[in-house]
Amino acid sequence: MSVRLKHRIGAQKIKSGRMTNIINYGVSDTLKALFAQLKDTPGLNGHKYHGKDVAQIAQNIVCRNYGSVCYELSFLCWAVVNHRHYSSSALLSFFWLDENIQPKRFRQAFRQPVQTTSGNICMGEDYLQLQIGDVEFAISPTRVGVLAVMLELIASIEPAQLSNIETLLLDADTKAIKQLSSNFQKLIYSYLKEHIPEASTQERFRAISEWLKQHNLTAQKLTDQDVLDFWLNPPAQPSYIKYSTVLDDLLDAITAIEVVENTFNAEYALSLGSNSEQGEVDADWVQTTVFEQAENVSDLGWLCQSPKFLTLAQYQPMNPLLSHGKLARQLPLSFLRLSIFGGWQSKLVQAKRKSTQVLSDKLQQFPNRHYQDYLAELNDSESQCKQVQQVIAHLFYSLNNPLFIGIMLKQMPTNLQQALKIWMRAQIADPTESEVNLFIDVQQWLYQHPKAQLWLTEAANLFKNNNKDGFKKLPLVTQLDIYQDGSEALDHCQELVARYLLVITKLNHENTQLAEIYRSDLCIFSNRFKQIYGAPHA
């Protein structure tokens, strides 16, 4: 790649930057582009806006602290709309054509006092003084640049706002000004729903990032015990009660910090390339650590829709693992605790809503599932993924679709896979072999191997016994794309669960370790729940 990036800066700055930048995690590319556009907006002489003014508005927006700016801007718009020099298109003339957004030009624009039917405007020594009925308001000329940036942002979101402002404020009183401020805030709030995380999410991210910093924890250092410690002794604000919320927020924050840090490192690398001695960063590294990490591929709930690859009961045990990927393998006990004690806490929350007695009874009823029960559910889900993959292979095979080969190769027994791959390499090396001919040749190869025929027969029987929606009959050839997507998603689920189970197997020495951990966890969670929800007879 020929893309040139910024110069590398010190590691210390990177380390300190990741915590301050964490609140920007989740900001959409569209909003980032809008901030960049504001910074590069052309004016009468170079850039229209100062970078510090754009940065101030960007901070107000990202931190959701824009109420006072909207209120101040509403008074400024009233002054401009009711300025007798601008009889039509007042906002366009004042802010865009004349660009009265520097202190000197702003003072010049209001050098003569203005008297209107609803109030007076007068430029004092330090402030523009507004008198509207019984309300007095002052605007500093040094604030006009920031307010102009906010108006530009609002106009970029909804251009029709300019004419709406003029209609609302002409000869208007302070009620109209307050209404305009409210309109601005509603418009920005609605826009930000799609472009930055909720304010509560940002608050939790800040709290977690500070906690991680205090305990010198990174994504690589975080352990199951750290997760448990956070839940047992969380920060004062915001409130953390549910274990499931603690686990989700901790892992989401860890992922966010990694993405921010990796993006930061990539942006400040000297260039993309293979010469590490010259400070170049490998393009493959950028691909895997920034782009792929930023993609959200965890929401596979559509596997339970039509066509129904999995039932909800088969999908749900895997869902927490899918949501957090590699961190599930790093924190295997945390997900075991989530599956058993997270479910118990949910029942306690429901019981609390009913009555004190029901809650007391639930506190005394320990979970009826152990860690081994959850692992059995995961094993069943993995097995279901394999079976449905085999059914999908049957669909493609029955419809003579060459994609059958790729799906089949991932599912057949290893020794059969190896034999077929060796044979296929020889066929592919033949320049006269076409894709259609290869599929026909593969069919013939399968007919000659009893184990392959047994696998195909098993796949046909699984299809015959599968009564879920989308598998009751062969689909149309034009519908095969969704089945191919399903095959890839199931392969992802199967691989992730298999890796997690392998970690658990290594942890569970002689099938006794998990039983001991469960007994200890039962005591810890039981005591904590009694502290939260009230211990009976205490």
Side-chain angles (χ1 to χ4, degrees), residues 39 83 186 236 283 312 363 383 392 408:
K39 189 176 294 185
H83 195 307
K186 288 178 181 177
L312 198 58
L363 279 169
S383 176
I392 295 172
M408 174 192 65

Side-chain angles (χ1 to χ4, degrees), residues 190-456:
S190 177
Y191 178 77
L192 294 185
K193 279 185 177 181
E194 299 179 5
H195 297 286
I196 66 172
E198 294 290 340
S200 58
T201 301
Q202 291 177 300
E203 181 187 11
R204 296 199 304 271
F205 269 25
R206 290 191 194 101
I208 291 174
S209 62
E210 285 303 317
W211 184 86
L212 292 169
K213 188 176 182 180
Q214 290 170 8
H215 292 80
N216 192 29
L217 290 172
T218 63
Q220 294 76 21
K221 293 181 180 179
L222 192 70
T223 67
D224 287 306
Q225 188 60 47
D226 293 324
V227 176
L228 190 59
D229 289 344
F230 184 96
W231 179 63
L232 294 172
N233 298 286
Q237 292 293 333
S239 177
Y240 275 105
I241 301 296
K242 295 187 70 176
Y243 177 80
S244 59
T245 303
V246 166
L247 182 60
D248 282 338
D249 281 6
L250 263 176
L251 300 191
D252 284 347
I254 281 286
T255 301
I257 290 171
E258 278 194 304
V259 171
V260 169
E261 185 176 76
N262 288 331
T263 304
F264 197 79
N265 287 336
E267 287 178 350
Y268 285 92
L270 181 62
S271 63
L272 295 180
S274 57
N275 192 339
S276 58
E277 293 182 359
Q278 294 297 321
E280 293 182 338
V281 172
D282 185 72
D284 291 337
W285 178 87
V286 175
Q287 175 70 25
T288 56
T289 60
V290 178
F291 302 126
E292 291 183 3
Q293 189 180 44
E295 291 178 358
N296 179 17
V297 295
S298 61
D299 186 8
L300 298 177
W302 55 269
L303 289 171
C304 302
Q305 299 171 6
S306 181
K308 199 167 189 175
F309 298 97
L310 297 171
T311 65
L312 198 58
Q314 293 163 351
Y315 176 76
Q316 281 181 331
M318 302 186 294
N319 191 32
L321 307 183
L322 296 171
S323 297
H324 297 292
K326 66 176 184 178
L327 288 172
R329 301 192 296 276
Q330 180 179 330
L331 304 167
L333 293 179
S334 296
F335 287 85
L336 286 175
R337 290 164 180 156
L338 176 67
S339 66
I340 305 302
F341 298 110
W344 185 18
Q345 188 171 20
S346 295
K347 292 179 180 179
L348 293 176
V349 171
Q350 294 173 0
K352 184 180 179 181
R353 294 169 182 162
K354 295 180 180 179
S355 70
T356 303
Q357 185 58 49
V358 174
L359 175 60
S360 177
D361 292 341
K362 290 295 181 183
L363 279 169
Q364 298 304 308
Q365 298 171 12
F366 292 156
N368 55 9
R369 295 165 62 244
H370 292 197
Y371 291 158
Q372 291 292 359
D373 296 314
Y374 175 61
L375 298 179
E377 292 172 0
L378 285 179
N379 274 299
D380 180 65
S381 295
E382 183 188 12
S383 176
Q384 290 296 327
C385 288
K386 291 179 180 177
Q387 289 186 14
V388 178
Q389 283 273 53
Q390 202 167 349
V391 171
I392 295 172
H394 170 77
L395 299 182
F396 279 81
Y397 185 78
S398 300
L399 295 172
N400 294 320
N401 191 301
L403 291 176
F404 155 78
I405 301 172
I407 299 172
M408 174 192 65
L409 280 172
K410 292 185 292 186
Q411 301 302 318
M412 277 189 160
T414 304
N415 58 345
L416 201 58
Q417 285 184 33
Q418 294 303 320
L420 180 54
K421 285 179 180 179
I422 293 171
W423 176 84
M424 285 182 62
R425 289 192 193 102
Q427 299 302 118
I428 294 173
D430 185 351
T432 63
E433 186 80 20
S434 66
E435 186 180 81
V436 176
N437 289 338
L438 179 61
F439 180 64
I440 295 173
D441 290 341
V442 168
Q443 286 180 310
Q444 294 175 352
W445 186 92
L446 293 172
Y447 285 134
Q448 297 171 9
H449 288 75
K451 289 184 178 180
Q453 283 300 302
L454 181 63
W455 188 87
L456 290 171

